[in-house]
Amino acid sequence: MRQHYQSKSRRLTRRAASTVLAGTALALAAGIGAPAMAAEWPTKAITIVVAYPAGGGTDISIRALTDTLGEKLGQPILVQNVGGAGGGVAATKVAKEPADGYTLLATNSTSITLAPLVQKALYDMDSFEHVAIIGEFQNAFFTGSKQPYDSLDGLIKTVKAENRAIKGASQLAIDRLVMQFIAKERGVEFVPVPVSGGSGSVQAVMSGDVDVAFSGGSWAPIVKAGDAKALFAASYERLKLAPDLVSMKDLGFPFGVTAHISLHAPAGTPPEVVKKIAAALEPAVNSEMVQTVGQKRFMDMTYRGGDAAAAVMKKERETYVTLVKTVGMN
Amino acid sequence: MIEYVSIAAGEIFTPSVIGYIILGVLIGYIVGALPGMNRTTAIALAIPFTFTMPPAAALSFLIGINKGGAAGAAVSAILLNVPGEPSAVVTTYDGYPMTRQGKARKALTIALLASVAGDLLATVTLILLAQPVARFAIGLGPIELASILIFSITFIAAVSGDSFFKALIAGILGLLLSAPGIDIETGLPRMTFGMLELYDGIPLLAVAIGTLALSEILVQIDEGWHGDHRYPQIADERTKNADSGFRLPDVARITPAVLRGSLVGTLVGILPGLGATLASFLAYTWVRQSSKTPEAFGKGAPEGVAASESADNATVPAALIPVFAIGVPGSLSTALLMGAFMMHGLTPGPFLFKESGAVVFAIYLGMLLASAALLLVGLFGQRIFSMVIQIRKSVLLPVIVFLCIVGAYMEGGGMFGVYLMLVFGFVGYFMKKFDYSFVTFVVGYVLGPMAELTIRQSLIISDSNPAVLIDHPIAVVFLVLAALSIWRFAIAGARSMQIAPAPASDGGDR
Amino acid sequence: MERADLAGGVLLALFGILLIFVVIPLDTEDGVYFGLPPEFFPVFLSVGLTAFAGALATKAWLRLRAGVALQPMPMRLRNLVMFVLSAALVIAGALVIDYFGMLVGGPLLIAAFMLFLGERNAVRILATATLPVAVVYLLATYVLRAPLP
């Protein structure tokens, strides 16, 4: 660096001038840069907020895809767990984040399609852009292998004969809703026994303390092992991974419930950014790691992006609106 | 089956896999020793790195982190009176006094040996007895769990020593912390005051970091540094104490404690939801009760450290028993490990052996290796870590404060967790100063949520009808034990209402 | 200590009463339940709290009145002052980290604390303030992929 023997005052003026120039250049760049930003997105790490504690089905699926996703997008993917209120805390938090695509929400779709209908929520379907559906939970009701019934009808008959209520292990609003609906339709009472998570349901069933339990997939391994019996699927149509299990339609009910692992961005995120994320997600979901996890965890890891995702969410919401009205839980 | 073993051995005894296992244990050990960092988070963060490793290596690596974490927590507990995680709180009871008596190396060695012993015994139990033990454990439902928890709470409170009422108050305050959150039955928020962040309950890790780490820092700042002579400076220069090394007779002395601790740790670890903290408390209390010199506990009794550490390390492999045998995780870290199993193509549960027998054997070998690695890492780490106490406080304490903030942020979900940690740091400070047995406070907030859940579940299941106990003999046993504890309670309480002058144990006013 | 116990006992008993009659009913909604009402546990515990706090206060008062040898006061004014200063420093540090991020707040917090604890060596301060923060940052962002303040 050459040394300039200039008088102090001129040096100061020079410095001032260059500062002004730099500032103007920056301002111009920022002004022009904003729309161009979308084309360069992402320029820093992306955080996916998982709405449940570490180790759950949603959490493991997301962790399994961070490698491929990060590769496709060219930036590291950070995973943050914000549990609570069945997904409500995370949803509220992400809905408020800046819509720049750097914060995403991974959750059980029912926390967005069902929860705002039955409890006070500070967000709703339109607080988010629905980026993609990553997988579908195989919701079913199951019971211990030692119980004297192996179908819904059997359960109802047993309970009526003993003149008591059905005791069901309940994790979330969704299973309570379905059981109350079923109980109402079939003329019995339903008493929910609160449990925490899929493993809580499994434990309650295996200790023989409940008549029935609900789970999004944790039921499959122990049914396979012979320690439990699957009674029926909670969905309207038969489950993709369990086509032999009777569904709500088979039982004569007018609808069933679905739950998906869904990925969302705050409303207002630029559509190009959303498209980029969705496009990068597809190979990530179809990667071997994720499909293996899906297999083991008994989840249907079929990718649906963009419009297909929004359609799934909409349909789910419509189902729940009807269900809630019928059960009268408002 | 023999082929399995040799295939497994071939897979495990390669330099790279051995290296991974040692690395895992080392990482866990360091994370455990750092206040503010939690081993569950470490496992979660380490999972992506294992994607390219072969399954046996990957899982041994992750399990190694878990083991290392449980043992490492004792280091900061002993040297700084700052437990790396709640399960090491009990280790501070006797570990830190030993450091102040110049016996830091001895305490660390005892903790390490106890940890490794507990870990090994539980791992062997896992390998040999997984199936039958798991079946038994899973048959225990909310009613049994509730009675075990009730017993634990009363047992610990009944023997809390010195200031009886203050210990109870602390315990109740801890239990009260489990009140805010969404009520499990009604689904409506309870005592959340509109704060969304409290919907899932008060984030316990933030509370833990605050009450365990920050409070201790604050205490050390106001006392040790500016020469309040109530707590003497850490005696890192006092070396010629004859009892400061670890010798053979000490092995005999701590063996009963180690055995009891391992037993308690294994049993508690198998049951879902109870955790290492409860295990270490129960083990410590039991060993203290059955000791010939109970007054020595709390002032540097090696058996105390041994009991606590063997118990909390035994819970790590024990918690995997239900995972291996049935596929049901009992805690966050085991749920994560189960997820890792699945990511690597293994299905935890009864079919694990049938489908992937060789891999399972390899994992077993890996776990045994990890126990050995723990010993290595611990011995090596001791030398380095004991130098920590020679770092001057003006460097050490600020860094720890910083780590607490970062840790609370990463664990408890954001700045809310940080502010909460600060609040509880201050509360913990006052509890320590005014002798409110913050140890029962910790027991309270660790066990509170689980206790409430299981008790309410039990009431629903039984329709509040006590006749259901006939079908649950185990529950009856624990409830009887709980009643006995409450009886001791009442006696201790009556005794403590005496106004007679307290025995002059602290040598007059300072 | 007895004076502190008396004060503590009274305060805690009042806190317990406050819980039972004000705080708990304030934000506990009665919903549909089958086992226990939501207020049960908090109220049960608060009753215990009030009872034991009362017992503590009573015992302390009786001892004060009986004029027996008292246990020493655990805190003096200087401790309180040190505590308040340290607490203020930590809070300030957390706020700075909140508003300016860890990279700015971290070193400032560490440096401030070191000065507070009497450290005067500039090199040591600089090194301790920057190294751990840098290590944590690099570790978290590139290795662990975890979010930071």
Side-chain angles (χ1 to χ4, degrees):
Chain A
M1 280 228 316
R2 288 204 330 249
Q3 292 224 304
H4 291 265
Y5 294 95
Q6 288 172 321
S7 69
K8 235 192 196 164
S9 54
R10 232 185 279 173
R11 230 183 299 158
L12 281 173
T13 326
R14 245 186 195 235
R15 198 172 291 166
S18 39
T19 319
V20 172
L21 260 166
T24 326
L26 262 170
L28 275 171
I32 301 176
M37 224 178 20
E40 279 154 18
W41 186 93
T43 55
K44 57 174 179 144
I46 300 162
T47 307
I48 299 185
V49 175
V50 175
Y52 304 97
T58 317
D59 178 73
I60 295 289
S61 319
I62 296 292
R63 286 182 193 276
L65 59 77
T66 52
D67 243 15
T68 320
L69 186 63
E71 226 181 81
K72 296 277 171 229
L73 290 176
Q75 287 287 337
I77 313 283
L78 313 178
V79 175
Q80 205 186 21
N81 295 88
V82 179
V89 178
T92 312
K93 179 169 187 266
V94 175
K96 294 206 191 94
E97 292 283 327
D100 54 15
Y102 288 110
T103 316
L104 303 172
L105 172 71
T107 184
N108 183 321
S109 55
T110 58
S111 65
I112 299 184
T113 51
L114 172 61
L117 297 173
V118 294
Q119 52 201 51
K120 243 187 309 186
L122 298 165
Y123 59 89
D124 206 343
M125 296 270 291
D126 50 16
S127 317
F128 301 102
E129 306 288 347
H130 308 300
V131 178
I133 302 279
I134 297 178
E136 181 165 352
F137 286 106
Q138 307 293 293
N139 298 322
F141 288 90
F142 63 108
T143 188
S145 49
K146 295 208 182 65
Q147 301 284 15
Y149 44 82
D150 37 46
S151 67
L152 176 62
D153 292 323
L155 167 63
I156 306 269
K157 222 186 292 178
T158 311
V159 161
K160 277 191 175 157
E162 291 175 21
N163 199 19
R164 62 179 178 85
I166 299 180
K167 284 207 204 85
S170 164
Q171 300 173 43
L172 304 162
I174 168 180
D175 55 70
R176 222 166 287 201
L177 192 63
V178 177
M179 277 311 295
Q180 270 163 349
F181 170 67
I182 292 178
K184 192 163 162 188
E185 290 282 303
R186 294 294 170 93
V188 287
E189 292 282 310
F190 171 65
V191 171
V193 178
V195 293
S196 57
S199 50
S201 283
V202 169
Q203 278 162 30
V205 158
M206 295 193 75
S207 65
D209 287 318
V210 294
D211 300 315
V212 67
F214 170 91
S215 146
S218 321
W219 55 272
I222 54 164
V223 166
K224 190 168 158 207
D227 287 315
K229 302 187 269 208
L231 292 179
F232 60 100
S235 53
Y236 188 58
E237 304 287 342
R238 297 209 168 183
L239 290 172
K240 183 160 167 201
L241 294 183
D244 296 327
L245 190 59
V246 299
S247 71
M248 296 286 276
K249 182 170 166 192
D250 298 322
L251 291 170
F253 295 109
F255 34 70
V257 295
T258 60
H260 298 85
I261 302 181
S262 53
L263 206 70
H264 309 269
T269 309
E272 316 85 61
V273 171
V274 171
K275 240 184 255 163
K276 259 199 192 172
I277 305 175
L281 272 171
E282 185 162 8
V285 173
N286 291 329
S287 69
E288 195 187 324
M289 178 80 52
V290 175
Q291 293 297 320
T292 314
V293 169
Q295 223 182 45
K296 305 288 169 183
R297 277 231 156 214
F298 212 67
M299 284 186 308
D300 171 26
M301 305 301 283
T302 312
Y303 166 85
R304 266 162 286 199
D307 292 329
V312 168
M313 296 292 289
K314 192 152 164 262
K315 178 145 182 267
E316 208 173 89
R317 164 52 67 97
E318 282 161 8
T319 315
Y320 286 122
V321 166
T322 326
L323 189 57
V324 167
K325 229 185 288 187
T326 316
V327 179
M329 259 181 81
N330 274 58
Chain B
M1 210 169 52
I2 305 288
E3 333 79 68
Y4 277 167
V5 178
S6 54
I7 299 177
E11 251 192 70
I12 290 290
F13 290 110
T14 66
S16 65
V17 175
I18 295 183
Y20 276 129
I21 294 178
I22 296 184
L23 182 64
V25 173
L26 182 63
I27 292 176
Y29 200 73
I30 296 179
V31 165
L34 287 175
M37 300 285 148
N38 182 270
R39 55 185 153 107
T40 308
T41 315
I43 297 177
L45 295 172
I47 287 183
F49 290 99
T50 63
F51 287 165
T52 50
M53 294 196 237
L59 290 163
S60 306
F61 172 70
L62 293 171
I63 296 177
I65 295 182
N66 217 359
K67 295 186 180 214
V75 173
S76 53
I78 291 174
L79 294 178
L80 299 170
N81 208 24
V82 174
E85 51 178 62
S87 60
V89 165
V90 185
T91 312
T92 65
Y93 244 18
D94 284 282
Y96 187 58
M98 283 179 81
T99 302
R100 295 221 313 267
Q101 292 160 17
K103 302 185 201 171
R105 287 293 290 274
K106 179 169 175 173
L108 285 174
T109 313
I110 293 178
L112 180 66
L113 290 178
S115 297
V116 173
D119 180 77
L120 254 178
L121 287 171
T123 306
V124 167
T125 311
L126 165 67
I127 295 178
L128 297 178
L129 294 176
Q131 282 282 359
V133 166
R135 292 266 134 205
F136 168 72
I138 212 70
L140 300 184
I143 299 181
E144 283 83 4
L145 286 177
S147 42
I148 293 178
L149 284 168
I150 293 177
F151 161 66
S152 306
I153 294 177
T154 53
F155 184 54
I156 292 171
V159 296
S160 252
D162 308 334
S163 177
F164 181 70
F165 291 126
K166 290 200 264 196
L168 283 180
I169 292 176
I172 291 181
L173 287 174
L175 287 169
L176 273 172
L177 285 187
S178 64
I182 293 219
D183 186 75
I184 40 182
E185 289 192 60
T186 64
L188 297 169
R190 171 175 73 177
M191 292 174 72
T192 56
F193 305 108
M195 281 188 280
L196 196 65
E197 294 90 344
L198 288 182
Y199 269 32
D200 206 22
I202 296 186
L204 293 181
L205 281 166
V207 172
I209 297 177
T211 47
L212 302 179
L214 188 62
S215 60
E216 183 58 31
I217 304 290
L218 290 171
V219 166
Q220 291 195 11
I221 289 179
D222 95 356
E223 292 186 332
W225 190 247
H226 281 263
D228 178 343
H229 296 292
R230 190 178 155 93
Y231 286 80
Q233 295 273 46
I234 288 183
D236 46 335
E237 260 109 53
R238 233 191 286 170
T239 44
K240 293 307 164 192
N241 187 330
D243 201 15
S244 67
F246 183 80
R247 274 166 251 287
L248 231 19
D250 293 314
V251 173
R253 194 167 162 200
I254 62 170
T255 302
V258 168
L259 288 175
R260 283 171 207 233
S262 309
L263 181 64
V264 172
T266 311
L267 289 175
V268 171
I270 300 176
L271 297 176
L274 297 182
T277 312
L278 179 63
S280 58
F281 274 107
L282 282 177
Y284 181 82
T285 313
W286 184 23
V287 169
R288 177 174 151 173
Q289 283 298 91
S290 38
S291 148
K292 299 189 186 66
T293 53
E295 359 33 89
F297 281 73
K299 299 190 181 69
E303 296 89 335
V305 173
S308 160
E309 280 303 304
S310 56
D312 82 37
N313 263 78
T315 58
V316 171
L320 286 172
I321 293 180
V323 171
F324 270 84
I326 305 184
V328 174
S331 70
L332 267 184
S333 46
T334 39
L336 271 174
L337 285 171
M338 214 170 96
F341 267 79
M342 293 192 240
M343 282 194 235
H344 286 275
L346 298 167
T347 319
F351 296 112
L352 189 60
F353 285 92
K354 271 186 234 159
E355 285 177 5
S356 345
V359 180
V360 175
F361 268 101
I363 297 178
Y364 283 162
L365 281 177
M367 284 175 74
L368 289 171
L369 257 184
S371 302
L374 186 59
L375 191 61
L376 263 179
V377 167
L379 285 173
F380 176 68
Q382 262 186 45
R383 283 163 210 268
I384 303 190
F385 278 111
S386 3
M387 297 198 303
V388 159
I389 56 175
Q390 292 171 8
I391 301 180
R392 53 179 70 198
K393 295 252 178 106
S394 57
V395 167
L396 194 57
L397 297 183
V399 174
I400 297 183
V401 172
F402 169 67
L403 285 177
C404 285
I405 293 184
V406 172
Y409 182 88
M410 281 174 52
E411 310 279 356
M415 289 311 292
F416 179 74
V418 174
Y419 293 123
L420 208 59
M421 175 206 66
L422 293 182
V423 167
F424 282 101
F426 303 153
V427 168
Y429 170 81
F430 284 106
M431 289 183 86
K432 290 192 180 190
K433 289 300 245 186
F434 289 100
D435 196 27
Y436 275 84
S437 175
F438 86 104
V439 152
T440 49
F441 181 66
V442 169
V443 174
Y445 74 66
V446 166
L447 295 182
M450 195 66 191
E452 183 177 12
L453 176 67
T454 50
I455 292 178
R456 290 172 82 169
Q457 281 176 330
S458 307
L459 288 173
I460 297 180
I461 290 174
S462 61
D463 291 318
S464 308
N465 181 357
V468 77
L469 288 174
I470 302 177
D471 287 325
H472 297 264
I474 300 180
V476 174
V477 168
F478 279 101
L479 285 176
V480 167
L481 288 174
L484 284 174
S485 295
I486 296 183
W487 176 241
R488 291 190 70 139
F489 229 29
I491 297 183
R495 220 178 269 157
S496 99
M497 275 305 275
Q498 283 172 357
I499 313 173
S505 55
D506 48 7
D509 200 2
R510 287 194 194 133
Chain C
M1 178 72 92
E2 269 71 2
R3 287 209 189 89
D5 283 351
L6 180 59
V10 169
L11 278 173
L12 285 168
L14 286 174
F15 179 57
I17 295 180
L18 196 70
L19 279 176
I20 299 175
F21 293 108
V22 177
V23 174
I24 294 174
L26 192 65
D27 201 25
T28 307
E29 307 169 40
D30 230 354
V32 178
Y33 65 88
F34 297 91
L36 286 174
E39 319 77 75
F40 183 80
F41 266 106
V43 169
F44 176 72
L45 292 171
S46 306
V47 167
L49 175 67
T50 313
F52 291 122
L56 178 70
T58 310
K59 175 179 167 189
W61 182 64
L62 288 174
R63 286 184 64 135
L64 281 171
R65 219 174 58 141
V68 294
L70 301 177
Q71 290 166 348
M73 207 39 187
M75 257 179 96
R76 295 201 286 259
L77 188 61
R78 100 169 333 132
N79 297 116
L80 191 60
V81 168
M82 283 295 284
F83 167 70
V84 169
L85 289 175
S86 324
L89 205 49
V90 181
I91 295 177
L95 286 170
V96 171
I97 291 183
D98 194 1
Y99 285 104
F100 295 104
M102 185 193 75
L103 289 173
V104 171
L108 281 178
L109 171 69
I110 296 180
F113 246 104
M114 292 177 78
L115 288 169
F116 176 62
L117 289 175
E119 183 63 56
R120 295 286 177 255
N121 182 322
V123 172
R124 209 173 271 142
I125 294 183
L126 225 67
T128 319
T130 50
L131 279 177
V133 181
V135 166
V136 169
Y137 176 72
L138 291 171
L139 213 60
T141 313
Y142 293 107
V143 177
L144 303 175
R145 317 219 186 119
L148 283 172

